[in-house]
Amino acid sequence: MMFRHPGAWRRVCGPRGVRRSSAAAREVEGRSVTVTRVVPASARPAPSSSSEPRPRLAGDEAIRERVSAEYPVRSDWTVEEVRSIYSLPLLELVREAAMVHRAHWETRDVQRCTLLSIKTGGCTENCGYCSQSQRYKTHVKPTRQMAVDEVVAAARRAKAAGSTRFCMGAAWRELGGKQKAFTDILSMVEQVSAEGLEVCATLGMLTPDQAVALRRAGLTAYNHNLDTSRDYYPSVVTTRTYDDRLETIANVRAAGISVCSGGILGLGEAETDRVSMLHTFATLPGGHPESLPVNALVPVEGTPMHDAPPVTIFDMTRMIAAARVVLPRTMVRLSAGRLEFSQGEQALMFLAGANSIFNGDKLLTTPNPELGDDAHLFQALGLNGLKPKPRSAA
């Protein structure tokens, strides 16, 4: 409402602010007054007294079906198609990813996982980012493999803190002939699964027989990251090949274990490498990975990549959003480096399609947000923890 004369509002209103008629308002002392008609409150529709919640647009089945038809689960992506998705203007990409997320998932559900290093340091590989390689002088000191009861006790604490998946990591190139260590790990898997948790492991390269043994013990998923693109991989590690990684993934899938495989941003790779890595996941033989961890490099003093520039929130958001569109039914996990981002920035990554985090103060040897901070974040964003789907021993 706009008046052309000071004090006109007071003269237009009657006693106790009751509005006079439009005609009366226009005749106030013959002065020019512009009046906007306002519908009296008594004439407005009364608010509904129903206790039923208003339907959410995200819950509209017709919208879900239309988006699912536009972005189905498919394994015939071309590199150019993946590039076209990845290269969208960021906010447009986030919008598309959010729609895909709503179509294929309950967007408030976020899985909480715990990752425990059961054997730290002393690894013979030369991964340029890793603090656990014996080739570099870092703050990490080699340790023996943890006892079975210690690991099971840690799993119980993780469950009490809200985690539904418990992952065990060992720093070595491969299991190889480590029979005693492997026997203990099989016992860990069986006992942690009996606690009602999903069980994941990352133990380096596996043979087909080792994968089958883990499956029979009750392993839910196996993590084996590709890290980056095939072309850039030799710039990261030379003690194993890209095909070595893919072979272990194939062995895991053949044994009936879910595949968890992702990458690390900030290794010095180009955007073309990120697109290429995503294309590899989108065209994996046997289907998309069950989950894809997206890591931001946390530079460690003493490693060749200790002076790498930081990964930005826009880098992470773009990768997460592109992964959500290209891999609609894959769980996208916020992994290493999450502590570097504010809670507001993490909220953006959830909006872009991330639906899992790692709980606990460490991811192997990398700092992670505290449990209380994550509880506050979940409450502030209205997020719910997923229930576990453990796999019983065969």
Side-chain angles (χ1 to χ4, degrees):
M1 182 173 188
M2 181 180 69
F3 292 99
R4 297 178 185 168
H5 188 274
W9 167 255
R10 184 171 57 255
R11 293 190 293 274
V12 170
C13 294
R16 295 184 182 178
V18 176
R19 197 173 183 77
R20 293 176 179 171
S21 70
S22 297
R26 295 189 189 97
E27 294 173 0
V28 173
E29 297 182 2
R31 292 177 173 82
S32 176
V33 178
T34 300
V35 178
T36 301
R37 181 184 176 92
V38 178
V39 178
S42 59
R44 299 172 190 160
S48 173
S49 59
S50 171
S51 60
E52 295 182 4
R54 294 183 62 185
R56 292 186 301 148
L57 188 63
D60 189 308
E61 287 304 316
I63 294 177
R64 287 177 181 263
E65 290 176 7
R66 182 171 179 179
V67 175
S68 296
E70 182 70 20
Y71 293 111
V73 178
R74 45 178 288 217
S75 297
D76 61 348
W77 288 89
T78 66
V79 173
E80 189 51 48
E81 285 176 319
V82 175
R83 182 181 294 111
S84 68
I85 295 293
Y86 183 90
S87 301
L88 285 171
L90 184 57
L91 292 183
E92 184 177 343
L93 175 57
V94 170
R95 183 195 65 187
E96 295 293 302
M99 290 194 298
V100 174
H101 196 184
R102 287 187 173 94
H104 291 273
W105 297 86
E106 171 50 61
T107 55
R108 291 177 61 194
D109 288 347
V110 175
Q111 187 178 43
R112 288 176 284 186
C113 312
T114 295
L115 174 58
L116 176 69
S117 179
I118 63 171
K119 194 281 174 191
T120 303
C123 182
T124 59
E125 301 277 32
N126 67 347
C127 305
Y129 56 82
C130 188
S131 63
Q132 301 198 67
S133 172
Q134 67 180 20
R135 298 166 183 255
Y136 314 129
K137 187 176 181 180
T138 69
H139 67 280
V140 175
K141 304 303 178 187
T143 65
R144 293 180 178 273
Q145 183 170 299
M146 293 175 64
V148 174
D149 57 348
E150 291 179 310
V151 173
V152 175
R156 289 172 180 153
R157 291 193 297 271
K159 181 179 179 180
S163 288
T164 58
R165 175 172 287 196
F166 187 77
C167 188
M168 300 173 290
W172 51 50
R173 170 184 167 81
E174 59 192 347
L175 270 170
K178 304 175 182 68
Q179 285 302 319
K180 173 63 168 63
F182 190 40
T183 298
D184 285 350
I185 289 171
L186 293 176
S187 181
M188 293 172 192
V189 170
E190 188 171 351
Q191 292 187 51
V192 172
S193 180
E195 294 293 328
L197 289 164
E198 297 177 15
V199 191
C200 179
T202 178
L203 311 170
M205 293 183 286
L206 290 182
T207 66
D209 289 345
Q210 288 166 342
V212 169
L214 286 166
R215 167 65 181 88
R216 288 175 177 168
L219 192 72
T220 308
Y222 193 82
N223 169 257
H224 204 59
N225 290 338
L226 292 181
D227 293 343
T228 187
S229 71
R230 177 183 287 276
D231 288 344
Y232 193 67
Y233 195 75
S235 300
V236 177
V237 55
T238 60
T239 49
R240 62 171 180 257
T241 68
Y242 211 65
D243 286 326
D244 289 334
R245 307 297 276 179
L246 292 172
E247 182 180 355
T248 289
I249 289 174
N251 292 340
V252 165
R253 195 188 293 279
I257 300 171
S258 295
V259 172
C260 173
S261 187
I264 307 173
L265 305 188
L267 303 176
E269 76 283 357
E271 288 202 336
T272 54
D273 295 303
R274 297 175 184 177
V275 169
S276 177
M277 178 180 66
L278 191 54
H279 175 259
T280 299
F281 289 126
T283 57
L284 272 180
H288 299 168
E290 175 260 353
S291 58
L292 183 139
V294 179
N295 300 274
L297 176 68
V298 179
V300 176
E301 188 70 32
T303 64
M305 297 183 176
H306 74 275
D307 58 352
V311 177
T312 71
I313 179 58
F314 304 121
D315 293 328
M316 289 290 286
T317 302
R318 183 173 294 281
M319 190 65 190
I320 288 167
R324 174 51 64 219
V325 173
V326 175
L327 310 169
R329 290 296 304 166
T330 293
M331 185 162 284
V332 179
R333 304 188 188 279
L334 293 185
S335 301
R338 187 164 63 92
L339 186 60
E340 305 302 313
F341 301 102
S342 69
Q343 291 195 337
E345 290 172 330
Q346 291 178 56
L348 177 60
M349 291 187 275
F350 286 126
L351 181 64
N355 55 352
S356 177
I357 63 170
F358 282 93
N359 273 347
D361 60 355
K362 276 190 178 182
L363 291 185
L364 298 180
T365 62
T366 303
N368 200 48
E370 295 183 1
L371 290 171
D373 293 337
D374 284 338
H376 177 267
L377 179 64
F378 270 55
Q379 182 178 18
L381 300 182
L383 302 178
N384 302 315
L386 276 179
K387 294 181 179 179
K389 299 177 182 178
R391 174 175 285 166
S392 59

